[in-house]
Amino acid sequence: MSDVEARLARIRGTAPVREHTARTIAALTTNPGCDRRAVLDAAGIDKQKLAGYVEFPVPSGQSPFAISRGNAFEAQVKADGCAGLLRLLGERLGLPVPEVSYADLAPAGTGASLDARHARTRELLAEAAAAGPDGGVLLDHPLLRLDVGGRAAYLEPDLIAVRLRGRFHVVEIKSFAVIDGQADGRKVAAAATQAAVYVLALRGLLAELGYGPETVADEVVLICPENFANQPTAALVDVRRQLTVLTRQLSRLARIGDLIATLPADLTFDLGAAGAQPEPGCGGGEHPPRFSDDSAVPGRPVVEVVGALHATRARYAPECLDACELAYFCRDEARGQTAALGRSVHDELGGVPDVAGVLDLAAGTRVPDPDQAEAAELLRLAARLRAESLASAL
Amino acid sequence: MSTLTSLARAEAVRAGRAQPIATVRHVHVHDRPLVLVPLTLAGEANAPLAAMVGDDPDKPRLLVVAQPRNRDQRFAFATALAGVIVSYADGFTARVEAVAGDRARDIRVRFADAPQIVVPNPGGVDFARLFGRSTRFRRSYGDYAVDPAVPMLGRWLTFFAERAEYPGSCLLLAATEALALHWATGQSLVEDQNLAALLGWIDPPVGLTGAQAAVLAEDAGTWPPAGPTTDPTFDSTVLAPLIQAGDVPGLEKALTAQLEPTWGLVWRAVDRLRALPAGPRVAGRWDADKEAYTAHVQHLRDGGPPQPRRDSATAAAQRLNRLERAQASYAAQRAFDDPLVLAEYRLAGEAFVGTVTAAEPERVEGAGRSRKLRPHIVVSTADPVRLAPGTALVAPTRSGQKATLIAITGDGVLLELSGGMGRAATPAPGTVPEVGERICYSSLTDGYQPVADFPRREDTPWTHGGPPAGYDPAPVGDAADAAATDTVAADAAEEWS
Amino acid sequence: MSTDVLPAVLADLRSGLHRGVVVDSPPGAGKSTLVVRAAAELAAGGDPLIVVAQTNEQVDDLVVRLADAVPDATIGRLAAQDYQAPARIRDRPAVRVGRKLAELPGCGIVIGTAAKWATVGDRVWPWAIVDEAYQMRSDMLLRIANLFDRALFVGDPGQLDPFSTVDIDRWTGLTWDPMQSAVAVLLSHHPTMPVHRLPVSWRLPPTAAPVVARAFYPFAGFEAGTVAGQRHLEFTARASGTASAGPLDATVDLAADRGWALYELPARHAVRTDGQAAAACAELALRVLERGTVAYSERDPAGVPVTADRIAIGAAHRDQVAAIRSVLGTAGDGITVDTANRLQGREYDVTVVLHPLSGRRDASAFHLESGRLCVLASRHRHACLVVARAGIPELLDAHPSTEPVHLNVPVKFPDGWEAHQATMSHLERLRIRAVS
């Protein structure tokens, strides 16, 4: 175990490692400036549990209707060995789909282990890659691996289509609707980033087998229901931009040691007995975890855990509320900061970080540092215009 | 956002309640608006679950779909919703008013009022757009026939949703957006999307600060989400068992409890807005809404086709042109109506307010026939003027007169005036600002903007794909029907759970 | 490789196989020359021709160049009611100015802005040349495209995209989205339309071309038309001896030597009109003047003084421009100070750039737009001096990637974030720190 790994293990404490999923890896790109998140993710800490422990629980997870709809749609697309899907690839995307065989790596009820599934995935991909451009294979429930900050994360793409136009394509099935050719841009972006994680992992695996990155297409196939009925439609999504961003953030994660070196030596997020409870449903689950009630288990004093959190520097922005389990804690901590009022507010207020400072400078009741002289001038002018305008309207 | 709004947010943090960012009301508030609070089933493409709707705060009408994945029930909901919305929307055609056209003889007639729907948030506008899309092509005959009211509802909802894109239109308002136009809270725009939290800042309950009220408002148990998405915990613990059991009275009770708080909030938002004094130019924009309403009613009466699924190349370009012109005029009108909005432009250096310190009202240029009155004035101001020499400016109080910025000197801003001074050799009294007068100039104009020419649909050029395929000069039949056939056929597979 | 693409362009245009041909031109690659030569060739064939540009200034520039290139042709300048012909147009007997087509009889070539052409109807020309086509919006092309049978579209894909004052996604994904650029819409309807590229920048020196090409034209690329040593700057006055002027002079020296220099102010979150940054921009430009800088190049082998009119200062915002102008004062009379928008298509010997991300904590899409940085970083023939506060690499690393993705909308490359990363990684190696 390296120094960094040992250090991360101490930071995590006795709790089991929370493994990365495609979703958590994709989340690395949503607020990469946040040291707190970087440390917690690198140490494999269950942020949801931590948030609940410090009494800022995540309000709620995913609706059972959304989950069952997602599962039913995926089952429908994959029915009959993906016959409908293959037709769609041919008709909608003009992808020639010759003689495609279908292989399910985890048929329901077999309960194959992660390692076995990964080995089998690798074996089938090696065969398909060696078979040349004519042999098509659709791999269902494949299992890939990606190195994330020194730890292996297991990833489960919906499907991998082999050798469409001579390349491997990642297929992502989502249950949000495409209506008259348009879909929610944020949902497509999330799907694209997640699929880009699979592309990276697939490229990594093929590189081990001696194939170059061009073997895997940087366009992924997105399958969604069309309009208001339940028929699937397909679209190609270019994920080159997501690949660049992910690659950069993964390489920063690899340098987590620099960040950890700046933290107190005895820092740990160990929750004591409460943290050692195994989390149900670990691994592979792509749905956001649900709030689990883990009260009543005696553990480390909350104030100590809060202290540990304060020892790491967060970069809270309101957008975190939709993207990070700890956001409500960080929001509370950031009260009184201008950045908590919106990502652009800090810059608009001349770079003054705190609300009190802004108001005092605007009122002229605080003497600005030389660094803040211009900000003070801007704020005084803004305050004068506001006061004058409000008065003139009376 | 801007520095001024951000400062107002900071002030709201300290004050513990929202701060005004407008001194007048910029939206029209109807005497009798229709409030619509829709809910959809999670995971589905805009499948309605329930709605609370009505024009009387004391008499909400509850509509519920007991099995949201059942096609017949979905259309029964649409029929019932049509009963409320279409009859409300149709109900402003009794009185007309005459309007003068460009020339004195051109007298047009339009309806004297128009409907106004208020939904809780932009999600409600999306609901209207998507539900309009899923119903307007339905047919009341043949296979999968629906009640004739259903496609009519679709065409009205689409009309409202399209007007909501139009800057300054008030036919369909989202309460959160209308409120955010007038108040800055001590939280972020992201959090302002929650209507209960936003009103918690604007109108905190006695004994609470805005921040405390907003935190309470985030508890989905007390303040259910304002829709159209429901609270996932409610879905799993209440809704799923009731749908499973087919317990209709139970569902109605549970959904009433989810909808009623938001229903009350939307009406509170309407009341808060109504209490503000209307800006002078709000009525003019409502006139434009009445014109649009009149045109839509006329289109329906003439048997016109439903709105297409997507705009053609020519329709898209024309619509963009209309939207951009409306945007420019809306921005200028708001600034002219409201000193706080104007202050944004003053802070940016694009407008200034000051006092006339020197005037040369009889200054002329040229001689003989080309002799022109070109008075000079100097306006002294403390505002940071960042306008380039040569920029044409207008004072909102003297809209017929152009002022060209000549120079910015230590004494103030030197302006050269033209127009609006009468025909005599010297300016008519009062037409040139006098020394000591306080005046505002900016580069904003709300003047006439010519409508651009676009090719007709059948003349769509090759660069844009040529005339749309299957183009029919009278698209009432084929184009509309083809679309309807498509969706009706796809709809057969709709019920699947 | 032949650097003259005109014969191939004309061959495609005349082949009858395509209704249009696109020519992509990186900064300073001779776009105007190509437009003028193509117009001359087409006019020589005897067919009447129209030329469309985006602004009156661009139109006047083309009129003058065309009048020189085709002295025996009568050129029509179609203009709006309130147009005042500048002296360079009035002086030319072969140029006629008309408010309407009827006032321009017998003109083989008629030139006007797109907005003016949109008011002309009921006539079809066999040929058109559309200049700055990447800066023209698709809805404008829709209004003028029925005026011609075939057309040559010329423009720079790396510069600022056209924009709209309304923000709706009603049309995203449509091939005729009116908010897209004219070329984007054209190519989505005609994917097989030939696209040629001008391969050589005659403006950018060998120090700049690879940097700009890698950051902003990652797939197409281009080369400098000159080689190392063909251009250089010399100073006739000595550097100032004062301590505070030291870093300024060092920056000017480094830029003269390497083509780029980054003048780095201490990290600080500042107001947009950051006074120190504005002053640094002004002082650097003035140092170039005060040092008696002389530019030697293939055009002026004997050297030519870098006078005020050969220097520009560029910034992202208008208020920043105003702030720099006010510090510059009368000593800087004649130096151009403007926003990226207004510097498009212009060329100078030396430029000073206020980095769009300087002093910021967070970047918006506006500040990250690759076209904005591309314009600012590609106006110079000799050297570009960038002023920024420290901390931009950290800002870029911390930037959240949350832009929505739309179906059926081609991803635009380069991405602004990547282009900024690429540019910064080059500039960081050429950094002079200001005295704090």
Side-chain angles (χ1 to χ4, degrees):
Chain A
M1 200 189 264
S2 73
D3 286 354
V4 170
E5 283 171 63
R7 191 66 202 285
L8 287 171
R10 200 176 330 136
I11 288 173
R12 186 177 60 251
T14 50
V17 176
R18 181 85 184 169
E19 298 296 351
H20 269 296
T21 64
R23 185 184 289 273
T24 63
I25 297 168
L28 295 174
T29 66
T30 56
N31 190 7
C34 182
D35 288 353
R36 178 174 297 159
R37 179 163 191 157
V39 171
L40 294 172
D41 282 347
I45 289 168
D46 183 342
K47 294 196 294 294
Q48 179 164 18
K49 186 164 221 165
L50 186 59
Y53 199 77
V54 296
E55 284 153 28
F56 285 95
V58 190
S60 42
Q62 207 178 2
S63 164
F65 298 109
I67 295 170
S68 67
R69 156 86 174 189
N71 293 341
F73 181 68
E74 186 174 337
Q76 185 199 342
V77 170
K78 288 183 174 177
D80 303 324
C82 297
L85 173 68
L86 288 170
R87 203 169 48 243
L88 202 58
L89 296 180
E91 288 171 8
R92 274 306 172 95
L93 307 179
L95 296 173
V97 190
E99 297 305 304
V100 172
S101 62
Y102 167 85
D104 190 347
L105 290 141
T110 55
S113 77
L114 294 181
D115 283 336
R117 268 173 69 197
H118 177 64
R120 181 82 182 118
T121 304
R122 188 185 160 96
E123 200 179 305
L124 283 176
L125 284 170
E127 272 173 34
D134 295 333
V137 186
L138 261 184
L139 295 186
D140 195 355
H141 300 112
L143 198 68
L144 302 172
R145 230 166 31 189
L146 186 69
D147 181 14
V148 183
R151 277 210 324 276
Y154 282 99
L155 305 168
E156 192 175 7
D158 287 331
L159 285 167
I160 297 172
V162 177
R163 298 284 179 189
L164 293 170
R165 283 188 193 142
R167 289 179 176 197
F168 291 68
H169 282 74
V170 166
V171 181
E172 187 67 20
I173 302 171
K174 291 287 176 195
S175 62
F176 59 80
V178 175
I179 293 167
D180 297 334
Q182 287 184 311
D184 184 331
R186 283 163 309 170
K187 289 180 178 164
V188 180
T193 311
Q194 212 175 316
V197 175
Y198 300 137
V199 171
L200 277 182
L202 187 54
R203 281 185 176 163
L205 190 150
L206 286 163
E208 289 171 22
L209 297 170
Y211 298 93
E214 71 289 347
T215 329
V216 183
D218 40 31
E219 279 182 322
V220 300
V221 180
L222 180 65
I223 309 286
C224 292
E226 184 169 33
N227 297 340
F228 303 93
N230 206 31
Q231 291 307 307
T233 183
L236 286 174
V237 180
D238 184 336
V239 300
R240 278 179 294 174
R241 191 180 281 185
Q242 287 74 15
L243 285 170
T244 319
V245 174
L246 272 172
T247 309
R248 191 166 183 101
Q249 297 308 342
L250 285 171
S251 72
R252 288 182 75 219
L253 204 60
R255 300 194 305 268
I256 191 78
D258 299 347
L259 173 56
I260 291 174
T262 66
L263 300 174
D266 58 348
L267 180 77
T268 177
F269 292 98
D270 199 335
L271 304 183
Q277 300 276 92
E279 184 74 9
C282 241
E286 303 293 28
H287 300 296
R290 260 142 288 149
F291 177 58
S292 58
D293 182 11
D294 50 14
S295 54
V297 183
R300 189 171 170 212
V302 170
V303 62
E304 275 185 43
V305 182
V306 169
L309 280 168
H310 286 320
T312 54
R313 196 193 58 98
R315 188 186 172 94
Y316 169 77
E319 287 76 10
C320 295
L321 294 171
D322 285 331
C324 180
E325 296 90 335
L326 261 179
Y328 286 84
F329 174 84
C330 303
R331 178 176 73 171
D332 188 64
E333 181 191 50
R335 286 206 195 281
Q337 301 297 304
T338 49
L341 300 176
R343 215 163 223 150
S344 60
V345 172
H346 183 275
D347 282 329
E348 278 156 4
L349 294 174
V352 180
D354 60 312
V355 169
V358 165
L359 294 173
D360 292 349
L361 290 173
T365 53
R366 181 188 292 191
V367 180
D369 306 339
D371 273 9
Q372 289 184 333
E374 285 178 290
E377 197 182 327
L378 171 75
L379 292 169
R380 279 197 305 270
L381 174 62
R384 170 174 76 78
L385 289 175
R386 251 188 85 71
E388 191 184 307
S389 307
L390 281 165
S392 75
L394 290 178
Chain B
M1 271 205 294
S2 68
T3 298
L4 223 50
T5 308
S6 292
L7 179 62
R9 282 188 187 275
E11 287 174 357
V13 171
R14 184 171 278 178
R17 63 189 305 146
Q19 298 296 304
I21 51 170
T23 62
V24 293
R25 169 157 51 78
H26 295 283
V27 295
H28 175 81
V29 178
H30 206 284
D31 295 337
R32 186 172 64 91
L34 183 86
V35 168
L36 168 66
V37 184
L39 292 182
T40 55
L41 187 72
E44 303 285 320
N46 209 55
L49 169 66
M52 200 164 262
V53 60
D55 59 5
D56 182 344
D58 298 325
K59 289 181 193 146
R61 169 104 188 260
L62 175 73
L63 305 174
V64 169
V65 189
Q67 295 292 340
R69 289 164 174 165
N70 178 297
R71 183 180 183 279
D72 292 339
Q73 293 197 19
R74 208 181 273 193
F75 284 109
F77 170 90
T79 309
L81 187 61
V84 182
I85 287 186
V86 176
S87 61
Y88 171 76
D90 262 343
F92 296 87
T93 55
R95 280 191 311 119
V96 294
E97 61 191 15
V99 211
D102 294 340
R103 287 171 300 173
R105 281 176 306 157
D106 300 343
I107 301 282
R108 288 175 300 113
V109 165
R110 71 178 172 221
F111 296 125
D113 202 358
Q116 180 179 54
I117 298 182
V118 186
V119 293
N121 49 33
V125 176
D126 281 340
F127 174 86
R129 181 175 61 83
L130 291 170
F131 205 53
R133 165 63 181 82
S134 69
T135 51
R136 69 179 184 265
F137 300 113
R138 306 286 165 173
R139 286 188 303 204
S140 55
Y141 54 89
D143 292 343
Y144 312 111
V146 299
D147 190 290
V150 171
M152 194 50 73
L153 171 71
R155 297 172 68 169
W156 273 110
L157 287 178
T158 305
F159 167 72
F160 282 109
E162 290 191 342
R163 279 301 288 182
E165 292 176 344
Y166 197 87
S169 168
C170 291
L171 291 177
L172 173 58
L173 289 180
T176 50
E177 293 193 325
L179 291 172
L181 206 55
H182 301 88
W183 283 278
T185 66
Q187 61 182 8
S188 68
L189 275 177
V190 173
E191 292 151 305
D192 284 352
Q193 298 300 305
N194 180 332
L195 179 59
L198 179 57
L199 272 167
W201 274 101
I202 293 172
D203 221 359
V206 179
L208 291 184
T209 65
Q212 290 164 335
V215 168
L216 291 180
E218 282 177 353
D219 175 11
T222 330
W223 291 102
T229 351
T230 48
D231 171 29
T233 311
F234 168 76
D235 284 3
S236 57
T237 58
V238 180
L239 193 57
L242 288 170
I243 289 181
Q244 189 83 41
D247 178 356
V248 177
L251 269 173
E252 285 178 350
K253 190 162 163 247
L255 288 165
T256 300
Q258 288 292 297
L259 286 162
E260 254 179 350
T262 305
W263 171 264
L265 289 174
V266 177
W267 284 106
R268 245 174 82 198
V270 168
D271 288 344
R272 282 305 307 220
L273 289 166
R274 194 181 272 137
L276 296 172
R281 290 166 178 84
V282 169
R285 291 199 295 274
W286 182 246
D287 285 344
D289 276 334
K290 291 191 279 187
E291 302 272 353
Y293 171 66
T294 306
H296 183 64
V297 170
Q298 195 57 50
H299 179 78
L300 292 176
R301 287 180 180 171
D302 292 348
Q307 300 92 336
R309 289 201 254 181
R310 301 289 299 263
D311 290 343
S312 66
T314 49
Q318 284 177 53
R319 188 190 296 268
L320 176 57
N321 185 259
R322 282 198 302 275
L323 292 178
E324 286 186 325
R325 285 186 293 127
Q327 175 65 45
S329 132
Y330 179 52
Q333 290 187 357
R334 288 211 309 132
F336 293 166
D337 275 358
D338 188 342
L340 254 185
V341 177
L342 182 72
E344 302 270 7
Y345 296 90
R346 291 170 65 188
L347 188 62
E350 289 162 16
F352 59 93
V353 173
T355 309
V356 181
T357 52
E360 212 184 323
E362 294 181 13
R363 183 179 172 277
V364 290
E365 277 182 5
R369 291 190 59 190
S370 65
R371 183 181 183 279
K372 294 178 212 135
L373 260 180
R374 289 290 180 266
H376 274 188
I377 60 169
V378 175
V379 181
S380 163
T381 176
D383 293 351
V385 187
R386 295 198 180 102
L387 295 157
T391 310
L393 306 175
V394 174
T397 46
R398 299 169 176 271
S399 56
Q401 188 172 65
K402 187 171 113 177
T404 306
L405 195 154
I406 304 295
I408 300 172
T409 67
D411 299 332
V413 186
L414 175 60
L415 301 172
E416 179 173 305
L417 308 180
S418 54
M421 291 173 283
R423 292 175 181 278
T426 55
T431 57
V432 172
E434 286 167 25
V435 171
E437 187 174 329
R438 197 164 161 76
I439 195 161
C440 165
Y441 278 101
S442 79
S443 51
L444 291 160
T445 54
D446 181 28
Y448 170 74
Q449 309 166 67
V451 183
D453 294 321
F454 289 92
R456 289 173 303 174
R457 184 183 153 94
E458 62 268 34
D459 295 331
T460 306
W462 58 274
T463 50
H464 289 63
Y471 171 72
D472 180 338
V476 185
D478 288 358
D481 264 5
T485 313
D486 253 28
T487 40
V488 168
D491 198 39
E494 200 174 298
E495 190 183 0
W496 58 283
S497 58
Chain C
M1 180 178 66
S2 163
T3 56
D4 190 4
V5 301
L6 185 66
V9 169
L10 288 174
D12 273 337
L13 203 56
R14 287 171 168 152
S15 68
L17 296 173
H18 312 284
R19 293 196 69 172
V21 176
V22 175
V23 179
D24 283 359
S25 168
K31 183 169 63 63
S32 300
T33 308
L34 180 98
V35 168
V36 168
R37 286 177 62 204
E41 290 270 350
L42 290 171
D47 290 331
L49 159 82
I50 66 172
V51 179
V52 182
Q54 307 310 314
T55 67
N56 277 308
E57 203 181 335
Q58 289 165 3
V59 170
D60 289 341
D61 285 348
L62 283 174
V63 167
V64 170
R65 297 190 59 166
L66 257 171
D68 288 341
V70 203
D72 49 342
T74 311
I75 296 167
R77 199 313 185 187
L78 192 62
Q81 282 302 334
D82 56 355
Y83 171 76
Q84 305 272 346
R88 58 191 173 139
I89 301 277
R90 287 199 308 268
D91 291 351
R92 306 206 175 230
V95 177
R96 290 195 195 147
V97 177
R99 271 48 170 164
K100 283 186 279 205
L101 267 183
E103 296 168 16
L104 301 169
C107 291
I109 305 176
V110 184
I111 315 185
T113 61
K116 181 63 189 177
W117 279 116
T119 65
V120 172
D122 60 36
R123 190 174 156 189
V124 181
W125 279 263
W127 305 105
I129 299 179
V130 181
D131 195 10
E132 302 289 2
Y134 283 92
Q135 272 71 58
M136 177 161 81
R137 234 169 46 181
S138 145
D139 55 343
M140 185 55 93
L141 177 62
L142 176 85
R143 295 174 64 192
I144 62 166
N146 283 328
L147 291 172
F148 47 81
D149 282 330
R150 291 171 201 284
L152 171 61
F153 298 88
V154 186
D156 182 347
Q159 307 227 337
L160 285 157
D161 282 333
F163 70 99
S164 169
T165 54
V166 295
D167 178 23
I168 54 173
D169 53 13
R170 181 182 180 90
W171 304 293
T172 41
L174 289 176
T175 51
W176 53 77
D177 181 348
M179 313 230 252
Q180 292 281 319
S181 85
V183 181
V185 164
L186 186 68
L187 290 177
S188 68
H189 286 108
H190 303 272
T192 59
M193 186 176 284
V195 178
H196 294 267
R197 292 188 178 92
L198 297 179
V200 175
S201 174
W202 304 102
R203 172 191 310 149
L204 293 175
T207 48
V211 178
V212 172
R214 206 165 38 238
F216 303 102
Y217 304 83
F219 303 118
F222 61 89
E223 288 170 3
T226 50
V227 295
Q230 254 183 303
R231 290 187 193 165
H232 69 280
L233 295 176
E234 280 181 17
F235 305 109
T236 56
R238 274 200 298 161
S240 160
T242 66
S244 65
L248 292 169
D249 277 317
T251 307
V252 173
D253 288 332
L254 183 63
D257 187 31
R258 306 289 295 276
W260 301 93
L262 171 64
Y263 183 75
E264 191 183 76
L265 296 162
R268 185 211 291 171
H269 294 143
V271 297
R272 206 157 82 180
T273 51
D274 184 351
Q276 281 186 1
C281 289
E283 285 161 12
L284 284 171
L286 292 176
R287 286 310 291 149
V288 173
L289 275 184
E290 290 157 8
R291 299 273 302 271
T293 311
V294 179
Y296 297 84
S297 71
E298 72 290 355
R299 220 192 265 171
D300 301 294
V304 57
V306 179
T307 43
D309 60 314
R310 303 174 75 113
I311 303 174
I313 308 177
H317 294 282
R318 276 179 299 180
D319 54 2
Q320 294 172 330
V321 165
I324 295 168
R325 273 207 193 111
S326 73
V327 210
L328 199 55
T330 48
D333 276 352
I335 294 179
T336 302
V337 188
D338 231 322
T339 57
N341 272 311
R342 296 170 54 103
L343 288 173
Q344 295 195 93
R346 316 271 283 275
E347 177 173 299
Y348 301 88
D349 280 341
V350 176
T351 58
V352 180
V353 172
L354 174 54
H355 197 289
L357 300 176
S358 175
R360 297 194 65 86
R361 177 182 184 269
D362 289 285
S364 71
F366 174 90
H367 299 101
L368 278 178
E369 186 174 353
S370 66
R372 182 159 284 102
L373 186 63
C374 180
V375 170
L376 293 171
S378 63
R379 301 300 99 202
H380 61 284
R381 283 176 53 82
H382 286 270
C384 176
L385 294 75
V386 180
V387 173
R389 290 201 172 271
I392 292 175
E394 291 76 16
L395 179 157
L396 290 170
D397 272 344
H399 183 68
S401 169
T402 50
E403 297 78 26
V405 174
H406 298 291
L407 297 178
N408 309 315
V409 177
V411 177
K412 185 168 157 47
F413 278 95
D415 174 36
W417 181 79
E418 270 182 85
H420 270 277
Q421 293 272 21
T423 314
M424 246 2 253
S425 68
H426 181 76
L427 287 173
E428 279 203 296
R429 282 177 265 142
L430 302 165
R431 173 172 54 190
I432 303 283
R433 289 204 168 93
V435 176
S436 56

